[in-house]
Each structure stands twice: as structure tokens, then as C-alpha cells.
Amino acid sequence: MSEPAQQVAVPCPACSPDLETVHEVLAPGDTLTVRCTECDHTHKTSIEEEEEVERPVIVSQDGESFKTRVNAPPDELVAVGEEFIVDAEEALMTVRITSLEVGGEQRAESAPVADVETFWTRAVDNVTVPVTLNPKDGSHDGTRSVDFLLPGDHEFVVGETVELGDEEFTVKSIRIREDAVGPGTDMTQLRYDGDDAIAKDIKRVYGDDETSDAWSAW
């Protein structure tokens, strides 16, 4: 079975000299021979490869960390809270920038990639969400904490009852991470019914235990 033809987006001198159109590559090389898929005009062109620089990335995941690297254009502006994909030995994963080291152990909220010495990040594909559960009788005796490994986009809503594994609880409040982004994440704690947050933005969930046999001894 033949492989599909390589395609590039370049202006066509015949039908679109000012706009890029899809071209089929007929002959690769430093100068490409291409054919416009709009008008079938064949011509030669060259494509400038965008300059990139390599930067180290520290990835934190469940209390552990490892180091990998990322390539990016030097003039690209990056900021704390942004997410990108890293191809590490451990896995291909999405990470969120938690800090930018820009030299002399100084940190910045945003900077061009050229000025960044190290990206400090945490994995957000799958995250551990700690949940503090209070007994159904309202007392604090017997309060316990349970950790749940969840997809980063798993949603918690204040006032809703949640079933996870063998646990069932009603969400009372949600503490938000400092690097959380998006509507409502400028608050440190969500307390009102209907307030919601996704797992990768959550530092801790507080709930009333609804598990049927959790407090059978009381």
C-alpha cells in the first residue's frame, strides 16, 4: 500500500499568491516541487523551518518529580497556568506550568521562552484529589481523608452527592490550587451550591460522608 503524499501549506503563484493553500509535495529537498490542490499548478518553493530552543522541564506527579525537555520558539511568550504536552520517557503527558525559572534562581509569572532556564510543571492528565470526609452526624470525631486518582477534567460540584468506588459523599466545599485557571478559580475556596471545579484545579475537597456502612458503629 502506498503512503499518502506529504502536504504543505504555501501560497500558489497561479491562484492564490497572497494566501496559503494546500499543496502536494512531488519532490522533497531544500527546494520542494509542489502541486496546488486547488488549481493543479506545479511550482517550486522553500519552507523556512521555525527556529526552536530546547529547555529543561521538571514535572511533578503525585509527590514525585522527573526531568525532561521541550522545544519551543524562543520568542514565544509563556506564563504560569498554561499547559503543554511533553514527550517524556515516562509517558506522553499534558503538564501545567507552575513556575518559570528565568535566571539567578529568580521566578517569573510570564516570560519569552528564550529567557526561561527551567519550566517547573505538574502533570494534569490524571491527578490525585484528596477528599476530607466528615461523619454524617456532623461530629469531627472520625473525620478521615481519602485520595482519588481521577482524570484532570473530572468535575466536582458543591452540593452534589458523589459516588467514587466504594465511597459516597456530598461535596461541602472545594479548595482551589494557586495555579488554577478559568472562571471562578480566582477564589481560594468554593462554598456555595452549584460552584464547580475540575480535578486538576483542586487542592482538596471537603464532604459529608454518605457511605452507608462507614459509621455503622456509631
Side-chain angles (χ1 to χ4, degrees):
M1 181 181 295
S2 61
E3 294 183 358
Q6 180 185 356
Q7 294 182 330
V8 295
V10 294
C12 175
C15 71
S16 59
D18 298 323
L19 296 173
E20 292 183 342
T21 61
V22 177
H23 284 64
E24 180 184 351
V25 177
L26 302 179
D30 294 335
T31 300
L32 305 177
T33 300
V34 297
R35 180 170 57 222
C36 177
T37 58
E38 295 291 332
C39 69
D40 288 333
H41 177 70
T42 299
H43 61 100
K44 292 185 179 294
T45 188
S46 59
I47 299 176
E48 294 184 5
E49 292 188 3
E50 188 174 22
E51 179 189 1
E52 291 188 336
V53 294
E54 187 179 67
R55 291 293 183 264
V57 180
I58 306 298
V59 181
S60 174
Q61 186 177 37
D62 291 334
E64 299 182 355
S65 62
F66 62 88
K67 187 174 182 179
T68 185
R69 308 189 76 83
V70 68
N71 293 314
D75 57 351
E76 180 179 343
L77 188 66
V78 292
V80 170
E82 292 182 350
E83 298 177 4
F84 61 93
I85 296 174
V86 295
D87 189 359
E89 291 184 5
E90 288 74 8
L92 185 70
M93 63 179 63
T94 303
V95 299
R96 174 180 291 176
I97 301 172
T98 57
S99 182
L100 296 168
E101 188 175 332
V102 294
E105 297 186 353
Q106 294 183 343
R107 302 297 174 104
E109 289 295 311
S110 63
V113 170
D115 294 344
V116 177
E117 291 193 353
T118 304
F119 287 88
W120 293 84
T121 69
R122 65 181 178 89
V124 293
D125 289 304
N126 295 287
V127 297
T128 297
V129 178
V131 179
T132 297
L133 298 176
N134 293 318
K136 289 192 290 186
D137 63 2
S139 69
H140 291 287
D141 294 334
T143 294
R144 60 196 179 100
S145 182
V146 183
D147 291 341
F148 296 99
L149 181 62
L150 300 167
D153 59 359
H154 184 95
E155 186 179 58
F156 287 89
V157 181
V158 176
E160 289 193 358
T161 299
V162 178
E163 293 186 24
L164 290 173
D166 296 330
E167 304 288 350
E168 183 178 356
F169 58 91
T170 300
V171 179
K172 292 199 307 181
S173 65
I174 302 170
R175 182 170 293 278
I176 300 299
R177 287 181 172 272
E178 293 181 0
D179 63 8
V181 294
T185 57
D186 55 337
M187 302 178 64
T188 58
Q189 190 111 0
L190 305 179
R191 303 176 182 274
Y192 297 101
D193 286 356
D195 287 347
D196 63 88
I198 54 178
K200 63 184 176 182
D201 289 334
I202 294 174
K203 189 172 185 178
R204 180 172 289 274
V205 173
Y206 297 88
D208 287 332
D209 200 335
E210 305 290 348
T211 306
S212 59
D213 59 352
W215 307 106
S216 58
W218 290 83

